[in-house]
Amino acid sequence: MKPGAGPVRLPWRWLFDSPLVLAAWAAAALCCFAAVRFVAAVRAAERARQRAGTVLAQVAAEAAALEVAGVSARRLPFAMSMGGVQVRVEAAGSGLLLTANPRGSEARQFRSARLPGAASAAFGEPLTVARPEPDFAAQLPAIDAAAVATAWAAEALPWFRRDVGVALLHFDAGTEADDFVFDPGLSQLGLPATVDLVVVPGNLWVEPGRAPLRLPLERDLTVVVRGNLYVGRSLAIDGPGRLVFASTTCAGGAGFVDRDGNGRWSAGEPTCEGLPFRGRHEGAGNVHLGLPGHGPALEVAAGLVVAGQLHLRCSARVAGPVVLAHAPHDLAGPPARLRATGDRLFVPDREVVPGFLSEGAPRAGLLLPVPGPSVVAERPLYPAAPAR
Amino acid sequence: MSVGGVALERSGAAALLLVGALATALVCQRAGAACGAAAARERQLDRVQALLAPGRDRRAGLPDLGEFDGLFAGQRLAWRRAGPGLVLWLEPLPTGGAP
């Protein structure tokens, strides 16, 4: 190194001192901007391509599911090709596993149940009222007597408990049949995984309260009430399950129009069947939305199948399917309004409702996507054990 | 720097800027068109998924599927009776190629 020569210095002003350097900076910035837009466009196109593969697989799987609906399990696996998509249908437990393989895209899998038939069309409608002639009972969804005979009884489940005093709190004469209420701690009490149908051998009460009664439901549940259903407060569902209350008349009681609202049959009140009144004085098959002196309005996140008479003591919004044998009877001072919102309906063609008979030919249920390998790989091998 | 050198530097800078701006505009235009096409395709896919949704009320009549021609390479959608109801079916486009 020559004596006196120092290290080469790069003053900062060189970075912006020359028009050429400034232009280079500006061009670089423009290139960056263009690159960002280019990458965004490529990503959008790739996203659309991936989605098109998924929808294409779904179209093909849906067609294959309906194609094999009537095929016996012995003829599975079944393969078909449609529009460049190979679909393979295999038996998986009691249902179907469909693998759709679109050309140039990854395979997608779907699961579907094999259904014995369709649910009653009324379960897909917000409100159905049976015509009085020729036979109103025949127009209601038919309860599966064999399933009900082997269903869980309310006494066997922690959700329900017998309450001998609840009826006297609301009606002077009480009731003759056993009364059941929902357990106050039911949000902590899960139902066994196999429970989809419960039979209440008496009346069922949703007691009045400030907050709605919240029911945790992971799967669809039908509660068959062999008596009356009394709803004193709003009812909400936590989870994807749908709840249906079915009130049935039985040998011990008949449905009737409680014109005086005293909770028991009085002389002159007509029965639903048009026959002389018989059985327990509170009747059976009736549903009371609202209880005397409680609540301005109700929101019920469940469906109602009412074989007897629906009584309204307040306005009510019902989210599930409402199926009535007779037009509702208004017991409220100011006219009450029943509003069926249809927010929690069934898809009758592709679903069945627990505890009700299905109609028509066997078919495939709704398609449910099976998570891809990346999702499966993230599942823990063993469930986490609580610390001791 | 000489006067000629300054002029050369300035014109070089202007040319660089011009080329950069033109290239950026071209890339942005193409990228915008591609994004728009992808968004339109996604909207069409939304509509196909809505048609696939079981329980869809078809009493008002079956919607025309002509707008989906070529959405899936070389294919068109058609209604076909299968089992208890109607199902969407894929058929090759009459021309045989993707538009």
Side-chain angles (χ1 to χ4, degrees), chain A residues 18 30 51 56 58 83 366, chain B residues 9 24 42 46 49 54 75 90:
Chain A
S18 151
L30 285 171
R51 175 113 191 275
L56 187 60
Q58 206 177 340
L366 295 176
Chain B
E9 188 185 22
T24 304
E42 294 248 20
D46 285 342
Q49 281 202 307
Q75 305 292 325
L90 285 162

Side-chain angles (χ1 to χ4, degrees), chain B residues 4-64:
Chain B
V6 170
L8 187 64
E9 188 185 22
R10 284 184 181 169
S11 47
L16 188 59
L17 267 181
L18 187 65
V19 170
L22 282 175
T24 304
L26 188 66
V27 171
C28 287
Q29 186 204 13
R30 293 287 168 89
C35 281
R41 194 177 188 198
E42 294 248 20
R43 281 195 296 274
Q44 281 191 315
L45 292 171
D46 285 342
R47 286 200 288 276
V48 174
Q49 281 202 307
L51 290 175
L52 273 177
R56 193 174 171 280
D57 192 353
R58 295 189 173 122
R59 283 173 297 194
L62 295 174
D64 180 36

Side-chain angles (χ1 to χ4, degrees), chain A residues 245-329:
Chain A
F245 289 110
S247 71
T248 61
T249 54
C250 55
F256 67 95
V257 183
D258 188 9
R259 285 182 174 154
D260 54 13
N262 63 358
R264 65 177 186 274
W265 180 79
S266 309
E269 289 176 338
T271 60
C272 292
E273 292 90 354
L275 301 171
F277 184 80
R278 62 188 159 73
R280 50 180 95 137
H281 70 240
E282 74 270 20
N286 302 319
V287 172
H288 295 255
L289 291 183
L291 289 171
H294 292 282
L298 291 177
E299 297 214 4
V300 181
L304 299 172
V305 179
V306 187
Q309 180 66 48
L310 174 66
H311 298 88
L312 287 172
R313 286 182 192 270
C314 60
S315 291
R317 287 162 59 93
V318 183
V322 180
V323 188
L324 305 178
H326 309 276
H329 180 69

Side-chain angles (χ1 to χ4, degrees), chain A residues 18-27 30-31 33-35 37-38 40-42 44-45 47-49 51-56 58-60 62-64 66-67 69 80-85 103 125 347-350 361-363 366-367, chain B residues 6 8-14 16-17 20-25 27-28 30-32 34-35 37-39 41-43 45-49 52 54-56 59 71-73 75 77 80-92:
Chain A
S18 151
L20 195 58
V21 175
L22 278 176
W25 282 120
L30 285 171
C31 280
F33 180 68
R37 296 296 302 266
F38 177 76
V42 169
R47 203 168 45 239
R49 194 187 70 80
R51 175 113 191 275
T54 303
V55 176
L56 187 60
Q58 206 177 340
V59 169
E62 187 79 23
L66 291 188
E67 198 77 4
M80 65 174 267
S81 175
M82 183 179 84
V85 186
R103 196 182 297 143
E125 301 288 337
V347 181
D349 279 347
R350 305 290 295 279
R363 64 201 63 212
L366 295 176
L367 284 192
Chain B
V6 170
L8 187 64
E9 188 185 22
R10 284 184 181 169
S11 47
L16 188 59
L17 267 181
L22 282 175
T24 304
V27 171
C28 287
R30 293 287 168 89
C35 281
R41 194 177 188 198
E42 294 248 20
R43 281 195 296 274
L45 292 171
D46 285 342
R47 286 200 288 276
V48 174
Q49 281 202 307
L52 273 177
R56 193 174 171 280
R59 283 173 297 194
L71 176 63
F72 305 112
Q75 305 292 325
L77 288 169
R80 184 163 157 172
R81 184 159 288 285
L86 290 163
V87 67
L88 283 175
W89 200 262
L90 285 162
E91 295 174 348

